Amino acid sequence: MVSVEDYGKYETAWCPGCGNFGILNAVKAALAGAGIAPHQVLFVSGIGQAAKTPHYLNANVFNGLHGRHLPVATGAKLANRDLVVIAESGDGCTYGEGGNHFLAAVRRNVDITLLVHDNRVYGLTKGQASPTTDEGVVTKAQPFGTASAPFNPLAVAVALGAGFVARGYAGDVDHLAGLIQAAVSHPGFALVDILQPCVSFNPVNTYEWYRERVYPVPDDHDPADAEAAMRLARQWGDRIPLGVLYRNDRPTFEAHFPILEDGPLVGRRPDYEALGAALAARR
């Protein structure tokens, strides 16, 4: 039986009160609850405070370049489809530096889970606006207010037909753990955008601000209804829905490649005779 303790407990570099703590606890609870042992999981992250999260877990970890966690996660999953692959980073790393990779991953529908710590600011570099910062918000780097409109990752994911689209909140660990567990079990690309207060550099989107606004997706919402999902995805301000907004049963990217049907590539030996014949045929 897998327990939360199996994923370890480490000293972190986060500020006291950081929303990352709630997300870390939810990840552990989700994986332990699903019976997934640490050796069965690969976490891939980029750069930032959120990207440090896998450092504080007993699991396989690849910590790469800023915004490049999704290509690595995709390659790992194609090489070993038996591995549970989770890409985890912040809103700047994922939607900014890694924006094009985000679009490609949604379109491909690779069987990976993407957890985005969305604190709506670049925390590691002391608080400049990120892609999800609301227009007009004043930061040290934008003293006259953020001039760009915010990127809406949920609406984009729904528009592109992502397999699983959900929003969680770092202040509700139990609910978030359930969302992560559902995302990991979904066969295809699964996005969980997680609202995360940054107690040091985002004085706008605080725990109190979110408590007054978040609410669970209505029981009668049909996640297969893309138009209803889009309406929920575009809700922001006074009311912010939490839960699974959209899901479908699109074939995974891997399903398009018969060579993957015989098991993970990582466990096979190269057929040097066939390779030699193929090369000889091209001389």
Side-chain angles (χ1 to χ4, degrees):
M1 180 178 177
V2 182
S3 69
V4 168
E5 288 71 27
D6 291 335
Y7 281 92
K9 186 175 183 180
Y10 298 91
E11 183 178 350
T12 75
W14 297 328
C15 304
C18 178
N20 283 332
F21 289 105
I23 300 173
L24 176 61
N25 291 335
V27 168
K28 291 179 182 178
L31 295 176
I36 299 172
H39 72 275
Q40 297 174 299
V41 188
L42 169 66
F43 284 89
V44 184
S45 63
I47 298 295
Q49 293 291 2
K52 294 178 182 175
T53 305
H55 299 185
Y56 310 131
L57 289 164
N58 286 336
N60 303 296
V61 174
F62 185 97
N63 194 189
L65 300 175
H66 210 3
R68 304 296 182 259
H69 46 305
L70 282 170
V72 175
T74 297
K77 187 65 183 184
L78 293 179
N80 187 355
R81 69 182 190 186
D82 290 343
L83 198 60
V84 175
V85 179
I86 298 175
E88 184 166 15
S89 223
D91 48 304
C93 186
T94 303
Y95 306 137
E97 286 79 6
N100 191 44
H101 297 305
F102 171 69
L103 300 180
V106 171
R107 292 174 52 229
R108 289 179 178 135
N109 199 34
V110 182
D111 186 16
I112 59 178
T113 298
L114 172 61
L115 305 180
V116 182
H117 301 217
D118 190 354
N119 62 6
R120 310 177 77 77
V121 74
Y122 280 94
L124 183 67
T125 44
K126 314 307 180 193
Q128 65 268 52
S130 81
T132 56
T133 303
D134 282 325
E135 191 172 352
V137 169
V138 174
T139 74
K140 290 182 179 178
Q142 286 83 26
F144 303 109
T146 305
S148 300
F151 179 71
N152 186 331
L154 301 181
V156 170
V158 172
L160 291 177
F164 181 102
V165 181
R167 176 189 281 135
Y169 170 47
D172 189 343
V173 173
D174 291 342
H175 181 260
L176 178 57
L179 286 181
I180 294 172
Q181 202 171 101
V184 169
S185 67
H186 175 78
F189 181 79
L191 165 67
V192 184
D193 185 82
I194 305 166
L195 304 175
Q196 177 218 331
C198 175
V199 296
S200 295
F201 298 110
N202 186 340
V204 177
N205 308 115
T206 63
Y207 284 102
E208 182 180 6
W209 191 90
Y210 281 123
R211 271 197 299 271
E212 293 173 350
R213 290 165 172 80
V214 296
Y215 74 96
V217 167
D219 291 339
D220 60 355
H221 171 62
D222 177 7
D225 185 337
E227 292 187 9
M230 183 62 80
R231 286 194 292 273
L232 290 174
R234 299 185 69 173
Q235 275 193 17
W236 186 259
D238 293 337
R239 299 272 286 166
I240 303 173
L242 300 179
V244 179
L245 275 57
Y246 182 63
R247 70 194 316 169
N248 61 44
D249 57 358
R250 282 175 59 198
T252 65
F253 187 67
E254 303 91 299
H256 296 287
F257 304 102
I259 194 172
L260 299 176
E261 293 176 358
D262 295 332
L265 296 176
V266 70
R268 300 189 215 170
R269 294 180 61 83
D271 185 341
Y272 292 110
E273 185 175 341
L275 178 61
L279 292 174
R282 286 165 173 74
R283 286 176 183 166

